[in-house]
Structures are given as structure tokens and as C-alpha cells.
């Protein structure tokens, strides 16, 4: 099976490459990512290479910077997604598109299901929601997977904490935002299973369970054997430009109903990551 990955140099893209390169024919994996904002280039590439599946792991992901860069963010996260959906429909190719928990405002304290109302608080969240809607509008054979607090081969919260542990023995971390850390390795397991099916639609795809950034940091230090004191702070005490949802925990309801939820608990996944990728 031929698979074409956009954003193959990002942390999710690298994990897809790692897991898929011995099983599938990865198209043009060694050239730099093609710009998804250019419809003609995207369409030409899909037409020329005829993949069975296109995976969109490309995105503008800097949530803070996005607040001051709205045009560029929408160009990548909304228009880029639209371009891939249009080209995939034209050439009857399956599309796997990745979205985010930041489409929710987090004002409820229950786990979000796929069709709960969304109300993004940040430019990044809005642009990702537009991306979802444009993919849905185009139709075709698409899967949209919303994931959360992603880490893998790249810059992420786990690596930032481990780096800080080398310089400090005391940290303050936000303790009133709830979500679910998700390992790219586990997300790719889900992508692989889903892309073999015809169960098109919207899915939540995070590791199981939930935590706060503060308890996530504490768990990272325990698993990595670092003695760092982590003090909780509130979001109000740690002001950031982009508003984050206080609760963005998602229920993988559609994956579960389909019998396709292979996600481990976030603690098991984190242990695997720290033991195998951070030593
Ligand atoms: N990271 C998280 O915590 C998180 C949470 C929830 C959902 N997600 C979603 O998960 C997906 C993967 O995220 P990630 O963490 O792997 O992101 P990432 O590491 O930032 O990688 C994104 C990739 O997209 C590429 N890219 C940016 N603009 C592009 C364009 N115009 N055309 C082609 N490629 C472009 C980037 O290339 P350059 O490096 O060259 O710019 C980069 O390689 C994204 O859809 C993201 O929104 C992420």
C-alpha cells in the first residue's frame, strides 16, 4: 500500500515514517515537505504518485506565536487541510487529517465526545476547527483524528521538562488545566488501523486517562528518576497570550464503539517513551 505523508519531518510525521517504512511504500519520504498551502503542487503530487492513503501531519503548531500570526496559521491549518481534502476527493484517495483538543473551550468538567459543541479559545484552535470543517465540507473518504498534548520525536513538554531538570531543582507548573498526554507511537497505531477501514468520519484519539500539566511534570520526573520539586500554579499566575481550555479531556468514544481503541493509559505510554526514547 502506498502512503503519502505531509509534514513527515514533524514529531508525528517522524513516528509515521518510523513505523510505516518497513510495512508500506512511503512516497517521497526523503524530500522536504511539500507546502500544503499550494493546491496545485499538492494535487500534482497526489496525481503523479497515486497513493492509497494521504496523511496530513503538517500543521502550524506554535499555539503562542499563532495569536500574532493569524493569516499564516489559517493558511496552513485551514486552507492546507482544504487543499488536501480537495485533491484527495479528486483522485479518490483516503485522507487522514489530524486535529486537536483545543477546538473545545473546556468549560465543562466531563470528557468531551466527538459531537459535543466546540468553541475554540485560541487562533490555533479556531484554525484547526476550520480545517476540520473544510475537510468535512469537501466530503470524500476522510478520517479526522483529534488528539491532545502530543509528544514523540521532536520538541515537546516531556523533553522541555527533562531539559529543565538539568538546570533546576524546583519548578512551577500550571495545575488547573486538565488534558491527556498522548504518545505519537500510540496515535500511529490508531491511524494504521483506521486507514485500513472504510469507517470514515471524526474520531477522538488520545491516550486513556487525564492529568494536569503539573502532575504530568511530576510523573515525568518520577519515571526519569529526577528529583525536581514541582509546585502548582494557576493559569492566572502563569499568563500566556493564547487561552487554553481548562479541561480538554476527550473520550475516544467512536474508536471504542468501532472496536478500534488501542490506546494505553497515558502513564504506560509515558513510561515507554521515557525508557525508550529519552535515555
Ligand atoms: N503537538 C501537540 O501537542 C498537538 C496536540 C494536539 C494536536 N496536534 C496536531 O497533531 C498534528 C501533528 O503535530 P506535531 O506535534 O507532529 O507538529 P510539529 O512537530 O510541529 O510538525 C508539524 C510539521 O508540519 C510542517 N509544516 C508546517 N507548515 C507546513 C506547510 N505549509 N506545508 C507542509 N508542511 C508544513 C512543519 O514543517 P517545518 O518544521 O518545516 O515548519 C512540521 O514538520 C498537527 O495537526 C497538530 O495540530 C498536536
Amino acid at each position: 500500500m502506498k502512503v503519502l505523508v505531509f509534514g513527515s519531518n514533524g514529531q508525528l510525521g517522524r513516528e509515521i515514517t518510523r513505523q510505516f517504512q518497513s510495512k508500506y511504500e512511503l512516497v517521497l519520504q526523503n524530500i522536504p515537505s511539500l507546502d500544503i498551502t499550494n493546491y496545485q503542487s499538492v494535487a500534482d503530487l497526489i496525481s503523479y504518485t497515486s497513493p492509497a492513503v494521504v496523511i496530513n501531519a503538517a500543521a502550524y503548531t506554535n499555539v503562542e506565536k499563532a495569536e500574532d500570526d493569524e493569516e499564516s496559521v489559517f493558511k496552513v491549518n485551514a486552507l492546507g487541510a482544504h487543499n488536501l481534502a480537495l485533491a484527495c476527493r479528486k483522485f479518490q484517495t483516503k485522507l487522514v487529517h489530524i486535529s486537536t483538543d483545543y477546538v473545545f473551550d473546556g468549560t465543562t468538567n466531563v470528557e468531551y465526545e466527538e459531537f459535543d459543541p466546540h468553541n475554540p479559545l485560541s487562533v490555533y484552535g479556531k484554525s484547526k476547527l476550520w480545517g476540520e470543517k473544510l475537510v468535512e465540507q469537501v466530503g470524500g473518504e476522510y478520517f479526522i483524528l483529534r488528539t491532545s498534548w502530543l509528544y514523540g520525536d521532536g520538541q515537546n513538554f516531556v523533553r522541555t521538562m527533562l531539559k529543565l531538570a538539568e538546570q533546576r531543582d524546583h519548578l512551577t507548573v500550571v495545575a488547573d488545566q486538565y488534558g491527556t498526554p498522548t504518545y505519537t507511537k500510540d496515535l500511529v497505531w490508531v491511524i494504521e488501523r483506521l486507514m485500513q477501514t472504510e469507517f470514515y468520519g471524526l474520531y477522538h484519539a488520545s491516550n486513556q486517562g487525564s492529568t494536569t500539566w503539573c502532575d504530568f511534570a511530576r510523573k515525568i520526573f518520577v519515571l526519569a528518576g529526577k528529583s525536581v520539586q514541582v509546585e502548582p500554579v494557576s493559569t492566572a499566575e502563569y499568563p500566556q497570550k493564547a487561552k487554553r481550555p481548562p479541561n480538554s479531556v476527550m473520550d475516544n468514544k467512536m474508536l471504542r464503539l468501532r472496536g478500534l481503541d488501542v490506546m494505553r493509559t497515558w502513564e504506560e505510554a509515558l513510561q515507554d517513551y521515557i525508557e525508550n526514547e529519552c535515555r
Side-chain angles (χ1 to χ4, degrees):
M1 183 193 275
K2 254 192 194 180
V3 181
L4 171 56
V5 184
F6 288 92
S8 59
N9 203 32
Q11 56 177 352
L12 177 60
R14 284 199 200 122
E15 183 61 33
I16 295 169
T17 304
R18 184 150 58 193
Q19 290 193 39
F20 282 13
Q21 61 193 353
S22 58
K23 298 188 203 169
Y24 304 103
E25 186 183 346
L26 286 179
V27 181
L28 301 175
Q29 57 170 309
N30 294 322
I31 65 157
S33 266
L34 192 121
D35 186 354
I36 62 168
T37 68
N38 183 330
Y39 172 74
Q40 203 50 55
S41 310
V42 166
D44 287 349
L45 183 60
I46 294 174
S47 161
Y48 179 67
T49 57
S50 302
V53 180
V54 166
I55 304 178
N56 182 21
Y60 187 126
T61 56
N62 188 326
V63 178
E64 280 298 284
K65 210 171 142 210
E67 291 298 304
D68 296 321
D69 200 9
E70 186 161 346
E71 290 282 311
S72 313
V73 183
F74 270 76
K75 211 165 175 198
V76 180
N77 293 349
L79 193 98
H82 197 205
N83 287 341
L84 293 189
L86 290 166
C88 284
R89 188 185 60 181
K90 183 170 183 184
F91 299 107
Q92 292 174 330
T93 307
K94 288 183 181 181
L95 171 65
V96 178
H97 174 69
I98 310 299
S99 192
T100 174
D101 55 331
Y102 280 13
V103 297
F104 296 113
D105 62 16
T107 51
T108 70
N109 55 9
V110 293
E111 293 182 0
Y112 283 96
E113 296 177 354
E114 280 80 353
F115 298 106
D116 282 338
H118 32 60
N119 179 32
L121 303 174
S122 60
V123 169
Y124 167 77
K126 277 182 202 150
S127 70
K128 294 294 291 183
L129 180 61
W130 275 52
E132 288 185 8
K133 284 182 176 294
L134 288 163
V135 170
E136 283 164 1
Q137 264 180 19
V138 171
E141 300 172 353
Y142 68 83
F143 307 93
I144 297 172
L145 277 75
R146 287 186 188 140
T147 193
S148 57
W149 297 21
L150 207 57
Y151 60 86
D153 181 2
Q155 201 43 53
N156 57 62
F157 184 79
V158 184
R159 289 196 193 277
T160 302
M161 289 299 114
L162 292 175
K163 206 168 177 189
L164 285 171
E166 284 164 21
Q167 304 148 11
R168 319 243 291 259
D169 56 12
H170 181 269
L171 287 173
T172 53
V173 182
V174 170
D176 56 1
Q177 288 171 28
Y178 290 80
T180 306
T182 301
Y183 187 9
T184 50
K185 186 180 185 178
D186 297 20
L187 180 58
V188 176
W189 290 349
V190 170
I191 292 173
E192 187 178 10
R193 276 157 187 78
L194 210 48
M195 74 186 201
Q196 325 263 8
T197 74
E198 292 178 353
F199 302 137
Y200 306 115
L202 174 66
Y203 293 85
H204 285 175
S206 292
N207 279 120
Q208 300 295 327
S210 65
T211 188
T212 63
W213 292 110
C214 179
D215 286 340
F216 185 20
R218 287 178 174 147
K219 191 73 182 174
I220 292 164
F221 296 135
V222 168
L223 291 171
K226 308 277 181 199
S227 55
V228 180
Q229 189 78 17
V230 184
E231 296 292 337
V233 286
S234 67
T235 301
E237 290 169 287
Y238 185 73
Q240 288 180 296
K241 237 178 188 172
K243 272 196 186 155
R244 271 83 170 165
N247 167 40
S248 60
V249 181
M250 299 187 293
D251 179 12
N252 295 350
K253 189 163 184 169
M254 282 302 295
L255 285 178
R256 194 172 59 252
L257 294 177
R258 286 269 176 221
L260 292 167
D261 193 2
V262 291
M263 301 299 251
R264 298 174 282 187
T265 65
W266 71 266
E267 293 97 329
E268 286 172 279
L270 181 63
Q271 181 169 0
D272 181 0
Y273 178 66
I274 288 178
E275 282 176 3
N276 295 301
E277 292 201 46
C278 300
R279 300 231 188 254

